[in-house]
């Protein structure tokens, strides 16, 4: 997920949520809202700057079941209406709702007033519906909304006027083929932007699509990209472009992404990495280039001081040079590799000189695997 930038407890809880939720690849897996709520309570108990409009904590006692919308289960501050075959957002959702769970229904459209008055909402889960339309004012006044999950729907573009303080925004597996200019403008607190499994091409990402956005993680895996998108926010520390159709990596690809620490380019069609491409991301710790069409070890790895993990398995690499991974001069400081994978390549593994791996933690750090004939 995203990385170790902020060591406080709140961030750790988010990190945990984020890691859990990142596993929501196919098939669709429901979110356990009660689990979520427990994490939320830990998080809120933790953060002193967030309780500005918190009432007394006794309102759990005078909690009134009559206020629960039909077809929903309510517990204090949590309204769950999942798996009910709902075709629209239920009416009269209590205004003190913090988590609203509408996942796994048949909702097709979000109307202007569907969430009216829900100013305290923190998490809104609309995963696995049939939503193709969201009214541009649907998210107004949602200043506390942190988590907006819209994965597994039928959206063709990014909804307008997204809540300004959202931290996680998920659009996995929709039909988004265009990201319009300023689609995310003003979202300065985002950590996670998940756009994977959408039919996005490079041309579909309009100039200025990511203007005014700050995010740590961006995922556009399983899309139709033929090159690394150039105009992503420069704040990103993690970029996932697995399962696209990218055919080469060039020097200009990462010039803007100086903070990048984890880069995933697995399962593409990369034949060629231009020398100098990775020099522009000096903080990178992990690079996935597995399952591509590389014939050589990408140049410049030995100069990446923090690089610890490099996946190169499943390529067409036929030779490995003694200085491909490690600095030539032993006094050049370099963090040791913990993972180099080279299996499923047509290299004769017995030809690789042992000194090639002189800057690896130990034998387990290198996966050569069973060589093919
Ligand atoms: C890559 O570029 C660096 C710096 O210009 C140079 O020292 C190095 O020899 C080049 N490597 C290859 C494989 O061309």
């Amino acid at each position: 997920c995203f990385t170790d930038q902020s060591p406080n407890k709140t961030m750790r809880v988010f990190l945990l949520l984020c890691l859990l939720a990142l596993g929501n690849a196919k098939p669709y897996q429901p979110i356990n809202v009660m689990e979520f709520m427990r994490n939320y309570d830990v998080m809120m108990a933790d953060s002193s700057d967030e309780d500005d409009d918190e009432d007394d904590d006794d309102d759990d006692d005078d909690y009134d079941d009559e206020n629960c919308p039909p077809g929903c289960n309510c517990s204090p501050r949590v309204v769950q209406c999942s798996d009910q075959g709902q075709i629209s957002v239920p009416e009269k959702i209590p205004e003190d709702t913090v988590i609203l769970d509408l996942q796994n229904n048949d909702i097709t459209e979000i109307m202007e007033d569907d969430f009216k008055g829900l100013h305290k909402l923190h998490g809104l889960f609309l995963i696995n519906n049939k939503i193709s339309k969201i009214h541009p004012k649907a998210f107004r006044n949602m200043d506390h909304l942190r988590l907006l999950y819209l994965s597994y729907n039928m959206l063709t573009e990014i909804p307008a006027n997204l809540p300004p303080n959202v931290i996680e925004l998920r659009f996995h597996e929709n039909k988004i083929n265009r990201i319009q200019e300023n689609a995310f403008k003003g979202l300065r607190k985002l950590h996670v932007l998940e756009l994977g499994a959408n039919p996005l091409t490079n041309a579909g990402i309009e100039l200025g699509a990511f203007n005014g956005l700050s995010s740590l993680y961006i995922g556009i895996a399983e899309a139709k990209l033929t090159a690394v998108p150039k105009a992503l926010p420069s704040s990103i520390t993690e970029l996932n472009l697995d399962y696209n159709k990218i055919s080469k990596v060039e020097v200009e690809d990462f010039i803007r992404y100086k903070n990048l620490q984890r880069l995933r380019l697995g399962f593409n069609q990369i034949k060629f990495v231009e020398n100098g491409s990775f020099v522009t991301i000096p903080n990178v710790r992990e690079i996935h280039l597995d399952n591509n069409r590389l014939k050589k070890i990408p140049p410049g790895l030995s100069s990446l001081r923090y690089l610890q993990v490099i996946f190169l398995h499943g390529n067409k690499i036929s030779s490995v040079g003694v200085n491909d991974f490690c600095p030539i001069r032993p006094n050049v400081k370099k963090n040791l590799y913990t993972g180099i994978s080279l299996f499923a390549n047509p290299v004769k593994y017995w030809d690789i000189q042992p000194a090639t791996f002189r800057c690896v933690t130990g034998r387990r750090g290198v996966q050569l695997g069973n060589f093919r004939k």
Side-chain angles (χ1 to χ4, degrees):
C1 217
F2 52 85
T3 41
D4 51 355
Q5 300 227 315
S6 181
N8 69 51
K9 246 181 177 174
T10 306
M11 283 300 298
R12 282 206 303 273
V13 173
F14 267 119
L15 186 74
L16 178 72
L17 295 182
C18 171
L19 286 172
L20 290 173
L22 264 187
N24 78 346
K26 288 181 247 183
Y28 156 72
Q29 283 199 335
I31 287 176
N32 183 334
V33 168
M34 293 325 276
E35 190 70 30
F36 218 97
M37 203 55 200
R38 275 192 287 279
N39 289 327
Y40 171 82
D41 284 336
V42 173
M43 186 177 68
M44 291 313 259
D46 234 36
S47 65
S48 46
D49 56 336
E50 297 263 355
D51 53 6
D52 46 355
D53 59 354
E54 213 55 44
D55 305 326
D56 55 325
D57 284 330
D58 296 333
D59 58 7
D60 291 12
D61 297 333
D62 49 44
Y63 166 74
D64 190 351
D65 211 33
E66 285 170 20
N67 291 332
C68 195
C72 301
N73 283 310
C74 297
S75 44
R77 297 175 298 150
V78 178
V79 176
Q80 281 181 278
C81 321
S82 57
D83 311 276
Q84 298 291 321
Q86 306 262 14
I87 55 167
S88 59
V89 176
E91 287 179 21
K92 302 216 173 78
I93 295 164
E95 292 200 349
D96 62 352
T97 302
V98 164
I99 300 281
L100 177 56
D101 174 12
L102 288 161
Q103 60 188 313
N104 204 18
N105 281 295
D106 297 317
I107 300 168
T108 54
E109 185 175 352
I110 302 296
M111 313 283 191
E112 178 170 1
D113 291 335
D114 277 356
F115 305 123
K116 197 177 179 187
L118 302 182
H119 300 166
K120 295 189 173 174
L121 218 49
H122 176 100
L124 177 54
F125 305 136
L126 290 160
I127 305 162
N128 207 31
N129 276 277
K130 295 174 178 154
I131 300 166
S132 61
K133 245 176 115 176
I134 296 183
H135 192 281
K137 290 185 179 166
F139 300 126
R140 67 193 181 281
N141 300 324
M142 282 195 181
D143 288 350
H144 288 81
L145 197 70
R146 299 289 194 269
L147 313 169
L148 178 55
Y149 291 9
L150 280 156
S151 298
Y152 305 94
N153 275 291
M154 297 168 82
L155 294 171
T156 54
E157 54 181 63
I158 306 299
N161 302 313
L162 291 163
N165 295 314
V166 70
I167 285 177
E168 286 190 33
L169 199 45
R170 296 184 179 275
F171 295 102
H172 189 88
E173 204 167 323
N174 274 266
K175 306 205 178 307
I176 297 167
N177 55 18
R178 193 174 87 96
I179 300 183
Q180 65 276 25
E181 190 181 356
N182 296 327
F184 305 102
K185 191 156 192 179
L187 306 190
R188 294 260 168 219
K189 299 183 178 169
L190 208 58
H191 290 169
V192 174
L193 175 58
E194 183 54 68
L195 292 164
N198 280 287
L200 257 182
T201 59
N202 290 83
I205 301 175
E206 290 183 3
L207 213 65
F210 297 96
N211 274 353
L213 168 68
S214 173
S215 184
L216 295 179
Y217 168 87
I218 293 190
I220 320 180
E222 298 172 74
K224 295 183 171 175
L225 301 176
T226 50
V228 175
K230 305 289 189 293
L232 301 175
S234 56
S235 55
I236 51 172
T237 60
E238 179 167 0
L239 177 61
N240 182 358
L241 299 174
D242 283 349
Y243 293 97
N244 275 284
K245 296 181 165 50
I246 298 167
S247 59
K248 60 183 174 200
V249 171
E250 298 174 297
V251 170
E252 63 194 84
D253 283 351
F254 305 112
I255 276 178
R256 299 188 62 244
Y257 313 142
K258 298 206 182 322
N259 301 318
L260 214 53
Q261 294 181 15
R262 298 175 80 190
L263 172 61
R264 300 179 67 146
L265 287 164
F267 293 92
N268 275 278
Q269 299 164 7
I270 299 167
K271 285 191 177 126
F272 177 71
V273 175
E274 194 182 346
N275 189 16
S277 299
F278 297 135
V279 177
T280 57
I281 44 172
N283 296 313
V284 73
R285 284 148 168 74
E286 186 168 333
I287 300 175
H288 294 198
L289 277 165
D290 54 287
N291 296 290
N292 276 288
R293 296 176 187 170
L294 295 171
K295 295 196 166 127
K296 295 191 295 191
I297 306 293
L301 297 183
S302 61
S303 69
L304 297 172
R305 183 170 163 185
Y306 299 103
L307 186 65
Q308 293 187 296
V309 174
I310 172 95
F311 287 175
L312 292 165
H313 58 272
N315 277 284
K316 299 182 190 307
I317 296 166
S318 56
S319 69
V320 177
V322 70
N323 296 318
D324 280 353
F325 294 101
C326 304
I328 297 174
R329 285 181 296 136
N331 56 343
V332 173
K333 203 160 168 330
K334 160 103 183 71
N335 283 6
L336 297 181
Y337 288 95
T338 55
I340 295 178
S341 72
L342 280 166
F343 58 90
N345 277 294
V347 60
K348 297 188 180 83
Y349 296 103
W350 56 87
D351 281 348
I352 303 176
Q353 294 184 44
T356 304
F357 305 117
R358 60 192 178 274
C359 60
V360 182
T361 46
R363 263 165 204 250
R364 294 232 191 100
V366 184
Q367 281 182 289
L368 292 174
N370 295 324
F371 41 81
R372 298 191 294 191
K373 54 189 150 59

